Amino acid sequence: MIAGIELGLIYAIMALGVYLTFRVLDFPDLTVDQSFTSGAATAAMVILHGGSSWFATVVGFVVGAFAGLITALLHTKARINGLLAGILTMTALYSVNLRLMGGKANLALLREETVFTPLREAGLQGTVVGVLLLLVGVLLVKLALDWFLYTDAGLAMQATGDNPEMIRSFGVNTDRQKILGLCLSNALVGLSGALIAQYQGFADIGMGIGMIVVGLASVILGQGIFGTRTVVIATLAVILGSVLYRLVITVALQAGLNPSDMKLISAVLVVIALVLPQLGVYKRWKRHRTLRAAQAVQADVRSRARRTVDAGVSGRTGA
């Protein structure tokens, strides 16, 4: 279970990237399936050629951003449908990734120095301490994304996803916002791929297949359970959704299901997360939870008002 949580936290970085396009930009980006592999492949090649593992991780981040840039340019400059632009980039990147890996379908990193080697040598990987260290790293990424989304550029990006016609009337270049969003999203996906390759000890040409479903499952599952009231809560929900998703996968494997069934389980989880909010029982539970929260706020306001009045009465009596 500890390993499942660790994997969930690393995949959460990828899920934050999917959240950026799926929820913020309202853009169906399928580049994720191969930009994830691009980050893993480039990081593995840098490490195998004697480069620093931290430098390899940064390179994975940059290569992911470049993959997103290609999709963004196809969509904004060539005026290709967003879904098709992602498919075209994803298809082309398969061959590019294979070349990046020197024509090999798999690159082993088991004897190489990675960012997780100090944890492994200290006996912390697979322990609560290792989970806490990963959690701190993921929270730093989350806080950086939260900060960005509250800047002028981030607010313009959110407005581009919500109402592009309105934000264009204020003089904002929506194409530029889409390019920035897709680059940042796939950069996070590439970063996650680079970390996963180092954590698992290998990079494989097929490791990114189905990543968009994993990302969507994390986003929809997390936000369906924990809510989306603010950006801070929404991004936290994505992280929790990623961990929850990975724990479900771990439990399914421990129950005896074949690893080949994982894609089916991922699809079923997404369907459940999409259908659940439409069920009457869930809606009643949500209304009940919202009502309880509102009552708690009202009770707190009344309590503060009563204390203020009592303090005022005490002050006048003392005088």
Side-chain angles (χ1 to χ4, degrees), residues 67-86:
L69 176 63
I70 295 172
T71 300
L73 292 177
L74 288 175
H75 174 61
T76 58
K77 303 305 179 184
R79 298 302 172 189
I80 297 175
N81 175 271
L83 186 62
L84 181 56

Side-chain angles (χ1 to χ4, degrees), residues 10-276:
I10 300 174
Y11 278 115
I13 299 175
M14 179 271 298
L16 287 172
V18 173
Y19 161 77
L20 200 57
T21 50
F22 182 66
R23 289 297 194 197
V24 176
L25 274 179
D26 193 23
F27 187 93
D29 183 26
L30 297 185
T31 316
V32 171
D33 276 17
Q34 288 301 320
S35 60
F36 184 88
T37 307
S38 297
T42 51
M45 288 302 290
V46 169
I47 292 173
L48 288 172
H49 283 79
S52 163
S53 57
W54 289 105
F55 176 70
T57 305
V58 173
V59 171
F61 179 88
V62 173
V63 169
F66 184 72
L69 176 63
I70 295 172
T71 300
L73 292 177
L74 288 175
H75 174 61
T76 58
K77 303 305 179 184
R79 298 302 172 189
I80 297 175
N81 175 271
L83 186 62
L84 181 56
I87 293 173
L88 290 171
T89 306
M90 176 183 67
T91 304
L93 281 177
Y94 182 88
S95 298
V96 173
N97 291 336
L98 201 54
R99 283 191 172 273
L100 285 173
M101 298 172 69
K104 300 178 181 178
N106 188 284
L107 296 174
L109 298 173
L110 294 176
R111 298 181 179 179
E112 304 296 332
E113 182 83 15
T114 70
V115 294
F116 297 101
T117 299
L119 288 177
R120 193 177 298 113
E121 290 178 347
L124 298 178
Q125 188 169 327
T127 67
V128 175
V129 176
V131 170
L132 290 176
L133 290 173
L134 278 174
L135 179 61
V136 170
V138 174
L139 287 178
L140 288 176
V141 175
K142 169 197 156 32
L143 291 175
L145 183 60
D146 292 342
W147 169 82
F148 169 75
L149 289 175
Y150 279 113
T151 62
D152 290 342
L155 292 172
M157 188 179 297
Q158 293 182 63
T160 299
D162 289 336
N163 194 332
E165 290 79 12
M166 181 273 292
I167 197 64
R168 273 197 295 265
S169 68
F170 287 101
V172 174
N173 188 326
T174 54
D175 284 353
R176 191 175 300 165
Q177 294 302 317
K178 290 179 180 179
I179 292 172
L180 177 60
L182 283 165
C183 286
L184 181 56
S185 169
N186 284 279
L188 291 174
V189 173
L191 173 61
S192 178
L195 291 174
I196 285 293
Q198 295 178 69
Y199 180 87
Q200 295 182 336
F202 69 90
D204 188 87
I205 191 63
M207 67 189 301
I209 297 175
M211 275 301 117
I212 184 63
V213 177
V214 175
L216 289 176
S218 302
V219 172
I220 296 170
L221 193 63
Q223 295 188 347
I225 296 174
F226 303 105
T228 60
R229 289 188 297 275
T230 64
V231 168
V232 174
I233 293 176
T235 52
L236 180 61
V238 170
I239 295 173
L240 295 175
S242 177
V243 174
L244 180 60
Y245 168 83
R246 192 50 53 180
L247 288 177
V248 171
I249 295 296
T250 303
V251 171
L253 288 172
Q254 291 178 348
L257 291 178
N258 293 325
S260 59
D261 296 329
M262 293 305 102
K263 302 299 181 185
L264 175 61
I265 294 174
S266 300
V268 171
L269 282 175
V270 173
V271 171
I272 292 173
L274 288 171
V275 173
L276 188 63

